[in-house]
Amino acid sequence: MRILFLCTAHNSLSQKLFLALSENHSVTVEYALSDEAMIEAAALAKPQLIVCPFLTARVPSDVYENYVTLIVHPGPPGDAGPSALDWLLVGDDGTEPDADRLLRRDLLSAVGRSHWGVTVLQAIGELDAGQVWAFDQFPVDINEAGLTKSKLYRGPVTRAAVSATLAAVARIESAAKVDPSELSGAPRSPPDSPAPDRRFSAEGGGGIRPGLRASESFAELSVTSAEPFRGGDTHVRPLLKAGERDFDPTRHDAATVSRRIRSADSQPGCLSAVFGPKLYLYGGTIEDSVTASPSHGFAPGCITDIRDEAVCIGTCDDRGVWITHVRRLKTKADSSLWPKVPAVSGLVELGVLPPVSPPHLPMVLGRSLPEDWSRSVPGTFQEIWVDMVVGGSGRLAYVYFDFYNGAMSTAQCRRLVRCLGDVLATTEQRPLDAVILMGGDSYFSNGIHLNVIEAASDPSLESWYNINAINDVVDMVLDKFAARGVPTVAALRGNCAAGGVALAAACDLVLAGEQVVLNPAYRALGLFGSEFHSLSYPGRCGDAAAASALRAMTPLNADGARRLGLVDHVLPGFGSALDAALRSHVESVFASDRPHVEATAAVGRWKRRLDLSAPALARARAEELAQMSMDFWSARSERYHGRRRDFVRKMKPTATPLRFASHRRAEGMLDEEERDSFDSIQWFAEKSARSATEDVPPQTATGMAALSLAETNHVASRHLFGCYYPC
């Protein structure tokens, strides 16, 4: 079928669904920037079906009355409202129908629901009230450590959305091929009624009309288990505002505070004045050791610990909760949102903490992490740890770096380099069979930290520090471990983008979970890219395929990345099952008495035809950084600084990139990033000069569709960079 996506942004869920549907259907994407844009997109695309995988605006009646339009709602049948996951994680178990009373009397559950779901329903005038074409459900534990709203969304919600949407599409195809009256619950048409339009490849609007009837069982039984929803009663809930999650650490225990923070991550954040000024707070990891008590001299609500740019506040149950990031409130005087920054730097800037380095702050209690980088027990905030496994014929070092949203700041990269250096140093006493980069379970890595860069007093200089720091991480992989004869493995358990893909590609072996999405390109952010990708991408994919991947700026699923050469093996499962599969595969290659001969031979095969000597690595790094310096400081830097600023500060795009909106791409039309002029310093200098003397034509969705290639050379492209991590 021809399918049109209407999206607020092309995010992780919509990308995954796009890749899944594109295997058997033709899919095009339109940002839902206005009613007019959505109506026009439908007229241009002539879809047989419209799917809205991530949409915060209403679908115009002109669309849903003329096209079957499916809304992917992150809640089970009967649930409605814009904050479905927020209510779930904050502790709404469905027993109280009145949302105001639920909050006013603090009747939120400490246990919550056992299950949650995703519903694919048809758009009508009332929000989330159309007939259900499919739903799926999954178990949930709202007290699971680290389960934020964004992690829930990228994991079980996305998986349920894909399974339910695929089922809904198949059911609509089936329903369109039979008389609707033959479906359960639908009245039979009179004999003299006109025959329903069942065309699939007809000219015009596509032929599948909104009058199709869904079986009542579609709303009663989930797709994968064929069971009714197991999570309790569902309700229509209003928007859960940021301030309604506020907490009082003198009467709320650590678990409650954690749930309220995690329910707002990564948007909008938990609005709280616990530090004095009102701030949006992020994080929510519970500190299990005793932190806040009179014997320690700290009252609940005080900062009791500081570690790696995060702060811990004590709670009334003598525990604590770690705040990793903060964001200042946007006032009427602010033109845009503030960046989301590490808690320590944000609090220092506001004067909450003194302007000295964290190790010297007087309030630090100092429950330090293990010196050998092992996982700390009891539970605490820890971004980097190593699981050293000894067995079979040797040792394996599994290195975890679970950074918020996969972004790697200068400081985080430097800590990771120290960790890898300490792991490497152990080879002086005992051989190491392999080091396995595990990243985080939601994101492997997304490269440099755009929010920290945007918040810096000199973003260009911070960009330079950051790209050099992440290059040092990759240098450990390509040079330092290789010099000691230690193979490296990248285990992609979560999505990755830009520099994160290059970090993985530098390893001898890349393993990926089957549900991982990769975005290897840098260009949509206006960067040439570094991390030695000029060696690893061509070495793995060949020159032509590497150039294509960097220019395409479109997501890849794990199988697509394997076919391209960026991934060596795709493994089934997710969560603990995927972790077990990854370890089993690694051990079969490296640590078994009888290693997998074929897999062992493939380790590092891509490197055998390249010069990866120290001089060659230094030359590649210098050439990449020469390009990056132009991205940071020359006239060409306009492309990076503008896109970074718009992304971090969540500026609304003015058009859908043509690489997504194939229905708008006429012959010869290209996105600005797809043209060779996008790399030209002279072109940007001339463009800047023109902008000072000419009126730039408005880039509306309608106007963009009508522009010729020559005309688009004069349009400043302002596209939301949807193939990266959420702010």
Side-chain angles (χ1 to χ4, degrees), residues 366-508:
R367 178 160 96 78
S368 59
L369 296 175
E371 293 184 0
D372 62 355
W373 299 94
S374 60
R375 187 65 157 155
S376 178
V377 178
T380 187
F381 167 70
Q382 187 173 5
E383 290 184 313
I384 303 172
W385 67 95
V386 178
D387 182 13
M388 193 72 73
V389 176
V390 179
S393 60
R395 294 190 308 146
L396 298 171
Y398 292 87
V399 180
Y400 295 80
F401 42 101
D402 193 3
F403 299 138
Y404 184 77
N405 282 337
M408 302 173 69
S409 69
T410 302
Q412 289 168 321
C413 290
R414 289 172 178 170
R415 288 197 294 272
L416 183 55
V417 167
R418 289 200 302 272
C419 172
L420 293 173
D422 288 347
V423 169
L424 185 60
T426 67
T427 61
E428 296 176 0
Q429 288 78 40
R430 185 174 178 183
L432 185 64
D433 289 83
V435 59
I436 303 93
L437 304 184
M438 299 293 286
D441 56 359
S442 291
Y443 286 110
F444 176 78
S445 168
N446 282 315
I448 59 177
H449 202 310
L450 301 180
N451 276 265
V452 169
I453 291 169
E454 179 66 16
S457 58
D458 187 340
S460 296
L461 187 59
E462 180 57 34
S463 298
W464 182 254
Y465 290 151
N466 202 165
I467 199 64
N468 275 278
I470 197 170
N471 277 350
D472 290 342
V473 176
V474 184
D475 183 72
M476 292 292 299
V477 170
L478 277 176
D479 184 32
K480 304 302 187 294
F481 281 104
R484 294 281 183 90
V486 179
T488 53
V489 181
L492 309 186
R493 302 179 296 149
N495 298 345
C496 60
V501 180
L503 169 59
C507 293
D508 294 293

Side-chain angles (χ1 to χ4, degrees), residues 2-348:
R2 294 188 304 275
I3 298 176
L4 169 65
F5 275 17
L6 296 179
C7 304
T8 298
H10 198 20
N11 68 357
S12 58
L13 188 154
S14 64
Q15 289 179 39
K16 180 64 179 174
L17 191 55
F18 176 91
L19 292 167
L21 285 171
S22 295
E23 293 182 5
N24 297 300
H25 305 280
S26 174
V27 186
T28 184
V29 179
E30 178 80 16
Y31 290 166
L33 302 176
S34 66
D35 285 1
E36 293 75 18
M38 288 187 274
I39 293 169
E40 183 184 67
L44 290 171
K46 297 178 174 59
Q48 294 158 312
L49 182 66
I50 294 176
V51 178
C52 306
F54 171 58
L55 187 64
T56 58
R58 286 181 179 268
V59 179
S61 58
D62 282 356
V63 173
Y64 66 72
E65 288 176 357
N66 290 286
Y67 304 88
V68 174
T69 303
L70 300 181
I71 306 295
V72 180
H73 174 67
D79 176 83
S83 303
L85 300 181
D86 310 56
W87 283 106
L88 167 72
L89 288 176
V90 84
D92 175 13
D93 62 3
T95 56
E96 172 54 61
D98 188 323
D100 289 337
R101 186 171 182 271
L102 186 64
L103 293 175
R104 187 174 61 253
R105 299 196 178 184
D106 203 4
L107 300 177
L108 295 167
S109 168
V111 178
R113 299 176 186 266
S114 64
H115 289 73
W116 196 241
V118 174
T119 304
V120 178
L121 49 89
Q122 197 161 334
I124 60 174
E126 184 179 353
L127 286 177
D128 303 330
Q131 60 179 347
V132 173
W133 282 96
F135 93 93
D136 211 356
Q137 62 181 320
F138 51 85
V140 63
D141 175 7
I142 66 171
N143 292 305
E144 177 186 334
L147 183 64
T148 63
K149 180 173 68 171
S150 55
K151 182 176 180 179
L152 182 72
Y153 184 83
R154 291 190 299 267
V157 168
T158 294
R159 290 190 291 271
V162 170
S163 60
T165 304
L166 292 178
V169 170
R171 288 166 175 175
I172 287 172
E173 285 182 308
S174 178
K177 294 175 183 177
V178 300
D179 189 324
S181 65
E182 297 176 9
L183 296 178
S184 174
R188 185 172 295 278
S189 303
D192 57 349
S193 296
D197 189 344
R198 307 184 189 101
R199 295 167 297 157
F200 271 67
S201 58
E203 297 293 327
I208 302 180
R209 302 305 183 193
L212 291 177
R213 293 291 299 273
S215 167
E216 293 179 0
S217 66
F218 296 165
E220 296 170 353
L221 302 176
S222 64
V223 169
T224 56
S225 65
E227 294 178 318
F229 178 58
R230 299 172 59 186
D233 295 334
T234 55
H235 307 282
V236 178
R237 295 297 197 209
L239 175 72
L240 184 60
K241 299 176 182 178
E244 291 175 326
R245 313 159 207 254
D246 197 8
F247 54 86
D248 179 358
T250 65
R251 65 184 184 91
H252 288 140
D253 62 15
T256 300
V257 174
S258 173
R259 284 194 298 272
R260 295 191 174 203
I261 295 172
R262 291 184 289 107
S263 74
D265 192 283
S266 60
Q267 289 296 329
C270 179
L271 186 60
S272 175
V274 69
F275 296 116
K278 282 192 173 182
L279 296 168
Y280 295 107
L281 310 181
Y282 307 87
T285 299
I286 293 176
E287 173 63 54
D288 283 332
S289 66
V290 175
T291 57
S293 66
S295 61
H296 286 104
F298 291 103
C302 290
I303 295 177
T304 65
D305 285 283
I306 294 177
R307 179 187 302 134
D308 295 344
E309 303 165 283
V311 299
C312 183
I313 56 171
T315 52
C316 63
D317 55 343
D318 290 343
R319 299 167 83 194
V321 175
W322 287 91
I323 309 299
T324 62
H325 291 75
V326 299
R327 190 202 290 267
R328 293 167 66 175
L329 271 68
K330 180 181 179 296
T331 67
K332 292 182 179 179
D334 298 323
S335 60
S336 58
L337 294 177
W338 288 83
K340 186 186 300 181
V341 297
V344 168
S345 60
L347 295 177
V348 166

Side-chain angles (χ1 to χ4, degrees), residues 481-553:
F481 281 104
R484 294 281 183 90
V486 179
T488 53
V489 181
L492 309 186
R493 302 179 296 149
N495 298 345
C496 60
V501 180
L503 169 59
C507 293
D508 294 293
L509 183 66
V510 179
L511 310 176
E514 61 185 349
Q515 299 183 7
V516 166
V517 175
L518 298 86
N519 280 284
Y522 301 85
R523 287 180 70 81
L525 187 58
L527 291 175
F528 175 83
S530 194
E531 296 98 358
F532 300 90
H533 80 276
S534 60
L535 293 175
S536 61
Y537 280 24
R540 283 185 161 275
C541 310
D543 292 339
S548 176
L550 291 168
R551 279 293 186 111
M553 295 173 287

